[in-house]
Amino acid sequence: MSQQSRTRPSGSTTALNEAYDTALLDLDGVVYAGGEAIAYAVESLNTARDAGMRLAYVTNNALRPPDTVAAHLTELGVPADPADVITSAQAVSRLIAEQLPQGSRVLVIGGDGLRIALRERGLEPVESADDDPAAVVQGYGGPDLAWGRFAEACYAINRGVPWFASNTDLTIPSARGIMPGNGAAVEVVRIATGAEPQVAGKPLPPMHRETILRTGAKRALVVGDRLDTDIEGAFNGGVDSLLVLTGVTDAAQLLTAEPQHRPTYVDADLRGLLTGQPEVTGGTDVTGAAGATGVTGATGTFGCGGWTAYAGGGALVLDGGGAALDGLRALCAAAWTDAGDGSCTLDAGKALAKLGL
């Protein structure tokens, strides 16, 4: 099934770590949150790697350089080298280097990850709009980034200096909850200047290109927790994706996903890398658990595990029993089929309550 016509999560009779040669893994909300490993992440990643899968860590967070990220992963129990880490700082630095001469000065609004990536491309990071920069680059600078840095960016941009952003994620998960991401900071500068940045990070092509160039992946699987970056980035890159429910996306948001945000596979956490994926069946009016109520969905009844789901009476209806994730997969099929190329507007509250989601 093509991504453009995806109306249900796909099944796989083969474990995903065997079906794909490289996992392109997001970090925040997938491997860790607030610096602490997410449950089952360490064991799952080590098992996948030991079985021969290449693991690459692809993050829109431009704050930390690859060697710091790799050291953190190793400390958590997932051995990693700097070459295994691809950041939006690297992607945006390549984008800038393709447009400016070697040695050009670039005003940095962000952290060391950006400065190191710029130097890797032969560009000179500077700190002031008065340093005659040829470009401004903005990336996540952490919760302690001073407000005056946004003013510095505005001074340069208002003088006509081109503006680049590593990414535009509005939020970022932390151990204490969801906090503002680089996208929120980009909005501050956008509102103040009226300008639009060139953006490199997921879900846009520069980040996917950077990832493929650095990993050489042939059969890549994107693994992420965000529909609007990880899953859309996979869609734009024409590769398959696995959504894990350990980060910012919840079941209700998944059911309303538009085509570019619909993942190939859905699982609770990174243990999903080590297993096959159950098939969602149906798609025509059938009897069964749904038929027992006397109503069947106009777009069909869908089954997964012990659950059946359909759209009817302005709501998503779920019957049966079994694993909650199987029920969610069946609901995805009913919701996405009903929505077509749009977003499902049917009430899913009662159906999700049956799953405890």
Side-chain angles (χ1 to χ4, degrees), residues 25-48:
L25 295 132
D26 185 43
L27 287 171
D28 293 299
V30 176
V31 179
Y32 52 65
E36 297 299 320
I38 288 173
Y40 308 111
V42 172
E43 306 95 308
S44 300
L45 292 173
N46 284 331
T47 299

Side-chain angles (χ1 to χ4, degrees), residues 166-263:
S166 63
N167 67 298
T168 53
D169 298 36
L170 290 173
T171 61
I172 187 170
S174 75
R176 296 177 60 192
I178 302 299
M179 62 183 186
N182 190 54
V186 166
E187 284 302 308
V188 171
V189 177
R190 190 201 310 268
I191 291 168
T193 63
E196 290 290 333
Q198 294 185 53
V199 183
K202 297 179 286 186
L204 298 174
M207 188 66 172
H208 184 71
R209 180 182 59 155
E210 189 74 21
T211 300
I212 297 302
L213 286 172
R214 288 180 180 269
T215 65
K218 302 299 182 185
R219 300 187 318 280
L221 178 69
V222 169
V223 184
D225 69 308
R226 301 184 69 108
L227 301 180
D228 58 350
T229 54
D230 304 315
I231 306 308
E232 186 176 344
F235 177 90
N236 290 338
V239 299
D240 289 347
S241 59
L242 167 65
L243 178 77
V244 291
L245 301 175
T246 49
V248 301
T249 300
D250 61 24
Q253 292 168 326
L254 178 60
L255 294 180
T256 63
E258 296 183 351
Q260 71 273 21
H261 293 159
R262 297 171 187 169

Side-chain angles (χ1 to χ4, degrees), residues 1 18 40 99 136 189 196 217 224 232 302:
M1 182 182 295
E18 298 174 3
Y40 308 111
Q99 300 179 38
V136 176
V189 177
E196 290 290 333
E232 186 176 344
F302 302 86

Side-chain angles (χ1 to χ4, degrees), residues 91-117:
V92 76
S93 294
R94 187 186 296 270
L95 188 63
I96 296 169
E98 290 172 343
Q99 300 179 38
L100 297 179
Q102 286 267 312
S104 294
R105 295 181 173 184
V106 180
L107 173 59
V108 175
I109 311 300
D112 285 342
L114 278 174
R115 295 178 180 87
I116 291 170

